[in-house]
Amino acid sequence: MTAIENTLLNEADWHGKAFTGSWTKMAGGTVDVTEKATGKRLTVVGLANAKDVEASAAAASKAQEQWVAMPYEARAAIFRKAARIVDENGPEFADWIVRETGAVGPKADVELHMASGILNQSASMLTEPQGIVLPSNGGRISMARRVPHGVVGVISPFNFPLILSIRAVSPALATGNAVILKPDLRTPVSGGFLIARIFEEAGLPAGLLHVLPGAVEAGEALCRDSRIPMIAFTGSTANGRRVGALAGEH
């Protein structure tokens, strides 16, 4: 494989850390990520535990209040810029997807193409009607207005990590929420840090997006925290039932 010059994805930035608006060490320690084709260590990332999730939930909740107050044109511009960043840095991003997931190049290209489309679609969401007129009797107008949840938790898998993360992260941000993303420990860069860098470079305010690689403890903490009223999950049926049960209790 031909070496790709890194411009946005610098491993030294996140080595042993996770993303909370800046690269931060986690209370849960660190975990190795392997290159699938060779079995060798590719990188080291921070491992989030329940304490890390709690801290991010508090910070994200605070950041969300300022985000939703930002003019919608300014928010939409961030998503359009994020899409351009994906388009302009395809070879570098694809290189990480191939090495971390064991994918062939065309599969990585599909993920990037879809990610760019999702970002552009998210930008357009901000110019759509934000509510509906409901049926009512004569002489009255009944309206419903869509409002953000506040903080959305996203738990994503390893197989199409970029698509299956960004398809939840981007619309949640576009609709005025902050997001805490827990990517699979096998693909924390493709399914998490790549997205963090794209949005960071696009100008997303710090603290709105948190990327916390973690195991079961972190996932369950997302489902239990009262400041996270919505969970987007993609994974096995058994784990989905566990997520549903925990979220239902809280």
Side-chain angles (χ1 to χ4, degrees), residues 201-225:
E201 193 72 12
L204 186 75
L208 275 171
L209 174 60
H210 297 242
V211 180
L212 307 181
V216 173
E217 179 184 351
E220 293 194 348
L222 281 173
C223 297
R224 288 191 173 103
D225 198 298

Side-chain angles (χ1 to χ4, degrees), residues 14 26 67 75 102 108 127 129 131 136 142 164 221 227 229 247:
W14 69 66
M26 295 286 100
W67 171 240
R75 284 184 281 154
T127 63
S136 60
S142 180
L164 296 178
R227 290 161 295 196

Side-chain angles (χ1 to χ4, degrees), residues 1-167:
M1 180 183 295
T2 302
I4 302 296
E5 181 181 358
N6 290 331
T7 56
L8 288 180
L9 301 180
N10 185 355
E11 194 272 343
D13 290 340
W14 69 66
H15 189 91
K17 300 175 182 177
F19 188 75
T20 61
S22 61
W23 298 105
T24 309
K25 290 185 178 181
M26 295 286 100
T30 63
V31 63
D32 290 350
V33 180
T34 60
E35 184 174 35
K36 301 305 179 287
T38 65
K40 296 180 180 179
R41 187 171 70 181
L42 178 63
T43 187
V44 179
V45 302
L47 179 65
N49 63 13
K51 184 180 295 185
D52 296 309
V53 171
E54 181 180 358
S56 280
S61 181
K62 184 175 181 180
Q64 186 267 341
E65 296 175 2
Q66 296 179 333
W67 171 240
V68 76
M70 182 184 294
Y72 72 90
E73 301 97 330
R75 284 184 281 154
I78 291 172
F79 293 92
R80 288 192 292 268
K81 184 175 181 180
R84 291 196 301 271
I85 289 169
V86 173
D87 294 338
E88 293 167 359
N89 294 273
E92 180 189 359
F93 295 165
D95 183 60
W96 270 99
I97 294 172
V98 167
R99 296 178 68 194
E100 188 179 47
T101 71
V104 295
K107 186 262 192 184
D109 292 340
V110 166
E111 288 212 58
L112 291 165
H113 175 74
M114 291 186 68
S116 176
I118 289 167
L119 289 163
N120 276 315
Q121 187 175 9
S122 297
S124 70
M125 291 173 67
L126 283 150
T127 63
E128 295 173 352
Q130 303 299 300
I132 56 175
V133 178
L134 302 171
S136 60
N137 294 322
R140 299 177 180 178
I141 295 178
S142 180
M143 301 179 66
R145 183 168 62 94
R146 296 185 174 93
V147 296
H149 288 283
V151 181
V152 172
V154 176
I155 302 173
S156 62
F158 69 94
N159 49 351
F160 276 78
L162 175 57
I163 293 173
L164 296 178
S165 292
I166 204 166
R167 73 172 184 176

